[in-house]
Amino acid sequence: MKETIVIDNVIDEQKQIDFHNAILSGSWKFINDMSYDNSGNPSYGFNQTFKHPKYGIISNLYELICVPIINELIEKVKIDIKDIYFTRSFLQLPLRDKYIKEHNGVHVDLPIDHYACVYYCNDSDGDTIIYEQSTEDTPLGSNDVNLVEHMRVSPKRGRLVMFDGKRYHCSSQPKENLRCIINFNLV
């Protein structure tokens, strides 16, 4: 299984500020339930897609923001990737207590071998939770699954976490501040 890596200040501070401002002024689409868990407790939020595997590059923010972040990551961890397969941003807002749950829907982004990466655009609460289990050893939806936390990563502007994309993971809802991330799937 691929190593889980957390890098603070993956890009320099001025780029962190510039990218944060550019992302927040982007074109957001409302999502009724970002958790995808059908629990009846929606996790309202917004997303914007930069590159889609079917439609290609669909935002000028892809070249402006996504490529420089991944280039810095590649330089720092010396990985070889073929493609930034899919990248998008998510914006979650604090919700009323009645909508808060332990975490959002547990998932994997892609059914293929890949790295999953989360870049945090701002300091916030709403940790990313990465589990020990993966699609290789535990099919999603199994009733007897007892997920064990591998790592919990708190949002901090400029921080990036990279992990085996076959690991189950999820976000948690912020309570104090907006949570803005960029999600990358690298093959």
Side-chain angles (χ1 to χ4, degrees):
M1 188 160 290
K2 298 175 180 81
E3 182 181 0
T4 301
I5 299 171
V6 177
I7 302 171
D8 285 338
N9 301 312
V10 69
I11 54 175
D12 69 58
E13 190 169 342
Q14 188 58 54
K15 284 182 184 173
Q16 292 173 30
I17 294 166
D18 293 345
F19 291 179
H20 171 265
N21 293 338
I23 290 286
L24 286 182
S25 65
S27 298
W28 294 95
K29 176 184 172 191
F30 177 73
I31 299 175
N32 191 43
D33 190 2
M34 292 181 60
S35 69
Y36 307 108
D37 68 0
N38 300 315
S39 68
N41 294 330
S43 294
Y44 302 113
F46 302 87
N47 87 334
Q48 54 184 321
T49 301
F50 307 120
K51 183 180 179 194
H52 189 280
K54 184 176 180 181
Y55 305 111
I57 298 168
I58 57 177
S59 170
N60 65 341
L61 294 180
Y62 175 78
E63 293 291 339
L64 179 71
I65 294 173
C66 300
V67 171
I69 291 171
I70 295 306
N71 284 342
E72 288 292 328
L73 172 68
I74 290 168
E75 180 65 29
K76 286 178 173 31
V77 299
K78 308 295 185 212
I79 61 167
D80 184 30
I81 65 163
K82 295 178 185 168
D83 190 24
I84 302 174
Y85 185 78
F86 193 21
T87 184
R88 57 209 162 164
S89 187
F90 291 100
L91 178 65
Q92 292 173 276
L93 308 174
L95 300 175
R96 293 181 60 190
D97 286 343
K98 74 178 190 174
Y99 295 114
I100 300 295
K101 49 193 167 224
E102 183 180 350
H103 56 72
N104 293 320
V106 176
H107 66 281
V108 294
D109 296 343
L110 300 172
I112 61 174
D113 191 33
H114 70 289
Y115 289 101
C117 300
V118 177
Y119 172 80
Y120 301 96
C121 298
N122 66 310
D123 295 346
S124 180
D125 54 332
D127 291 351
T128 301
I129 305 166
I130 305 164
Y131 295 97
E132 290 290 337
Q133 290 81 1
S134 74
T135 57
E136 291 180 340
D137 53 28
T138 308
L140 189 59
S142 298
N143 293 331
D144 58 350
V145 175
N146 184 19
L147 293 173
V148 175
E149 263 188 44
H150 166 67
M151 183 180 287
R152 185 176 284 257
V153 182
S154 297
K156 179 181 179 225
R157 187 181 73 199
R159 176 175 285 164
L160 184 137
V161 59
M162 180 178 79
F163 56 95
D164 189 325
K166 291 182 180 180
R167 281 190 189 267
Y168 294 114
H169 59 281
C170 62
S171 64
S172 53
Q173 190 69 37
K175 296 178 183 178
E176 305 295 326
N177 192 10
L178 64 88
R179 178 185 190 268
C180 184
I181 62 103
I182 304 173
N183 166 249
F184 299 91
N185 297 121
L186 309 177
V187 293

XYZ file of all heavy atoms in Angstrom, residues 20 24 90-95 118-128 152-159 171-181:
308
model
N -6.125 30.677 -2.794
C -7.313 30.726 -1.943
C -8.308 31.746 -2.497
O -9.498 31.455 -2.652
C -6.906 31.082 -0.516
C -8.047 31.363 0.403
N -8.505 32.646 0.635
C -8.834 30.544 1.135
C -9.525 32.592 1.475
N -9.744 31.331 1.801
N -12.013 30.827 -4.159
C -13.252 31.322 -3.560
C -14.056 32.201 -4.518
O -15.273 32.288 -4.393
C -12.968 32.066 -2.256
C -12.608 31.178 -1.078
C -12.405 32.012 0.183
C -13.650 30.100 -0.829
N -14.082 21.563 -3.255
C -15.286 21.483 -2.447
C -15.253 22.587 -1.393
O -14.208 22.870 -0.816
C -15.395 20.127 -1.734
C -15.646 18.987 -2.676
C -14.607 18.166 -3.075
C -16.918 18.736 -3.180
C -14.823 17.110 -3.944
C -17.151 17.688 -4.051
C -16.103 16.880 -4.438
N -16.407 23.164 -1.167
C -16.568 24.204 -0.162
C -17.706 23.784 0.758
O -18.839 23.599 0.303
C -16.894 25.544 -0.826
C -17.141 26.740 0.085
C -15.873 27.094 0.854
C -17.610 27.930 -0.737
N -17.384 23.582 2.020
C -18.382 23.223 3.019
C -18.513 24.376 4.006
O -17.511 25.000 4.382
C -17.969 21.966 3.786
C -17.961 20.713 2.954
C -17.387 19.565 3.746
O -16.177 19.405 3.799
N -18.237 18.773 4.374
N -19.740 24.627 4.420
C -20.024 25.688 5.369
C -20.471 25.076 6.690
O -21.041 23.982 6.707
C -21.131 26.596 4.827
C -20.905 27.144 3.421
C -22.136 27.893 2.946
C -19.685 28.026 3.376
N -20.246 25.770 7.797
C -20.780 25.260 9.061
C -22.299 25.133 8.973
O -22.962 25.962 8.347
C -20.377 26.324 10.082
C -19.237 27.058 9.453
C -19.493 27.017 7.974
N -22.821 24.095 9.565
C -24.255 23.831 9.550
C -24.814 23.866 10.971
O -24.066 23.761 11.941
C -24.537 22.458 8.925
C -24.077 22.240 7.495
C -24.328 20.797 7.078
C -24.771 23.198 6.541
N -5.542 15.715 -1.128
C -6.386 16.815 -0.688
C -5.464 17.985 -0.350
O -4.552 17.844 0.467
C -7.234 16.439 0.547
C -8.056 17.632 1.030
C -8.133 15.248 0.249
N -5.717 19.121 -1.013
C -5.015 20.358 -0.711
C -5.993 21.256 0.046
O -7.128 21.439 -0.387
C -4.549 21.065 -1.988
C -4.000 22.447 -1.710
C -2.700 22.605 -1.243
C -4.791 23.571 -1.877
C -2.205 23.871 -0.949
C -4.306 24.833 -1.593
C -3.013 24.984 -1.125
O -2.532 26.233 -0.825
N -5.550 21.794 1.175
C -6.403 22.637 2.007
C -6.152 24.108 1.680
O -5.033 24.604 1.832
C -6.148 22.365 3.493
C -6.420 20.916 3.844
C -5.389 19.975 3.877
C -7.719 20.479 4.095
C -5.644 18.645 4.177
C -7.980 19.152 4.395
C -6.941 18.250 4.428
O -7.203 16.935 4.712
N -7.207 24.780 1.251
C -7.110 26.186 0.844
C -7.126 27.142 2.030
O -6.724 28.297 1.878
C -8.257 26.549 -0.094
S -8.254 25.617 -1.635
N -7.627 26.677 3.184
C -7.720 27.563 4.345
C -7.618 26.757 5.643
O -7.787 25.546 5.649
C -9.043 28.348 4.323
C -10.258 27.460 4.489
O -10.420 26.458 3.807
N -11.127 27.822 5.417
N -7.331 27.479 6.720
C -7.371 26.890 8.056
C -8.829 26.681 8.417
O -9.660 27.562 8.194
C -6.741 27.826 9.092
C -5.258 28.064 8.877
O -4.633 27.318 8.099
O -4.725 29.005 9.480
N -9.139 25.533 8.963
C -10.521 25.239 9.300
C -10.575 24.047 10.239
O -9.570 23.401 10.507
C -11.311 24.921 8.023
O -12.652 24.627 8.301
N -11.766 23.753 10.702
C -12.029 22.461 11.313
C -12.634 21.596 10.204
O -12.730 22.033 9.066
C -12.934 22.588 12.540
C -14.234 23.312 12.259
O -14.286 24.163 11.350
O -15.227 23.041 12.951
N -13.028 20.391 10.517
C -13.554 19.491 9.490
C -12.449 18.612 8.925
O -12.062 18.713 7.766
N -11.934 17.732 9.778
C -10.811 16.864 9.399
C -11.148 15.928 8.234
O -12.310 15.564 8.031
C -10.392 15.989 10.586
C -9.751 16.783 11.704
O -9.470 17.981 11.527
O -9.523 16.181 12.773
N -10.118 15.522 7.526
C -10.193 14.408 6.582
C -9.797 13.166 7.364
O -8.776 13.164 8.065
C -9.221 14.614 5.401
O -9.555 15.823 4.735
C -9.252 13.439 4.439
N -5.906 11.089 10.681
C -6.855 12.192 10.652
C -6.032 13.443 10.345
O -5.055 13.719 11.036
C -7.552 12.314 12.002
C -8.651 13.336 12.067
C -9.327 13.296 13.429
N -10.210 12.159 13.537
C -11.530 12.230 13.440
N -12.123 13.389 13.261
N -12.262 11.136 13.541
N -6.439 14.184 9.308
C -5.677 15.352 8.876
C -6.560 16.588 9.008
O -7.653 16.640 8.448
C -5.186 15.198 7.414
C -4.347 16.398 6.998
C -4.402 13.897 7.250
N -6.070 17.569 9.758
C -6.811 18.813 9.957
C -6.489 19.812 8.856
O -5.328 19.939 8.449
C -6.459 19.436 11.313
O -6.854 18.575 12.357
N -7.512 20.514 8.378
C -7.280 21.533 7.339
C -6.390 22.670 7.832
O -6.615 23.244 8.897
C -8.691 22.048 7.035
C -9.600 20.947 7.433
C -8.940 20.331 8.639
N -5.365 22.948 7.058
C -4.454 24.057 7.323
C -4.036 24.605 5.969
O -3.619 23.826 5.091
C -3.231 23.562 8.100
C -2.222 24.640 8.392
C -1.025 24.071 9.149
C -0.039 25.192 9.398
N 1.328 24.806 9.113
N -4.174 25.911 5.785
C -3.841 26.500 4.484
C -2.435 26.089 4.040
O -1.482 26.173 4.800
C -3.935 28.029 4.533
C -3.769 28.646 3.140
C -3.841 30.133 3.150
N -2.610 30.636 3.739
C -2.468 31.850 4.231
N -3.476 32.689 4.256
N -1.310 32.240 4.731
N -2.348 25.593 2.804
C -1.062 25.182 2.248
C -0.701 23.729 2.504
O 0.292 23.236 1.976
N -1.492 23.024 3.303
C -1.229 21.614 3.614
C -1.790 20.736 2.508
O -2.855 21.002 1.961
C -1.866 21.250 4.949
C -1.729 19.774 5.331
C -2.272 19.514 6.712
N -1.309 20.037 7.680
C -1.573 20.259 8.959
N -2.779 20.019 9.445
N -0.647 20.728 9.765
N -14.667 13.145 4.660
C -14.488 14.441 5.310
C -15.390 14.493 6.531
O -16.256 13.637 6.714
C -14.847 15.574 4.342
O -16.221 15.508 3.996
N -15.157 15.488 7.350
C -16.092 15.771 8.436
C -16.526 17.227 8.292
O -15.806 18.052 7.731
C -15.473 15.473 9.802
O -14.245 16.125 9.978
N -17.704 17.498 8.757
C -18.329 18.802 8.570
C -17.680 19.852 9.466
O -17.498 19.622 10.655
C -19.820 18.691 8.906
C -20.627 19.894 8.528
C -20.751 20.046 7.021
O -20.865 19.073 6.295
N -20.701 21.277 6.561
N -17.320 21.021 8.912
C -16.795 22.081 9.777
C -17.898 22.645 10.669
O -19.064 22.679 10.273
C -16.291 23.126 8.785
C -17.131 22.925 7.571
C -17.403 21.450 7.515
N -17.513 23.064 11.852
C -18.462 23.671 12.793
C -18.165 25.147 13.022
O -19.020 25.900 13.442
C -18.420 22.937 14.132
C -18.866 21.496 14.056
C -18.753 20.825 15.410
C -19.137 19.365 15.303
N -18.993 18.663 16.569
N -16.917 25.549 12.767
C -16.480 26.899 13.118
C -16.183 27.802 11.920
O -16.248 29.012 12.046
C -15.205 26.820 13.985
C -15.343 25.960 15.228
C -16.350 26.524 16.221
O -16.462 27.758 16.321
O -17.040 25.718 16.870
N -15.823 27.218 10.795
C -15.330 28.019 9.676
C -15.658 27.300 8.383
O -15.921 26.095 8.397
C -13.809 28.188 9.818
C -13.216 29.218 8.895
O -13.926 29.985 8.241
N -11.898 29.247 8.817
N -15.623 28.001 7.280
C -15.784 27.298 6.011
C -14.582 26.407 5.773
O -13.488 26.671 6.247
C -16.024 28.265 4.851
C -14.939 29.264 4.469
C -13.972 28.657 3.476
C -15.593 30.484 3.866
N -14.805 25.316 5.056
C -13.757 24.345 4.731
C -13.656 24.282 3.220
O -14.603 23.893 2.547
C -14.117 22.968 5.294
C -13.125 21.866 4.980
C -13.681 20.530 5.512
N -12.704 19.468 5.462
C -12.555 18.618 4.443
N -13.313 18.731 3.362
N -11.650 17.665 4.494
N -12.516 24.681 2.684
C -12.317 24.707 1.237
C -11.105 23.850 0.891
O -10.005 24.075 1.408
C -12.118 26.143 0.762
S -11.981 26.302 -1.032
N -11.328 22.861 0.025
C -10.249 21.952 -0.360
C -10.237 21.786 -1.879
O -11.221 22.069 -2.555
C -10.388 20.565 0.306
C -11.687 19.833 -0.101
C -10.348 20.677 1.817
C -11.498 18.749 -1.110
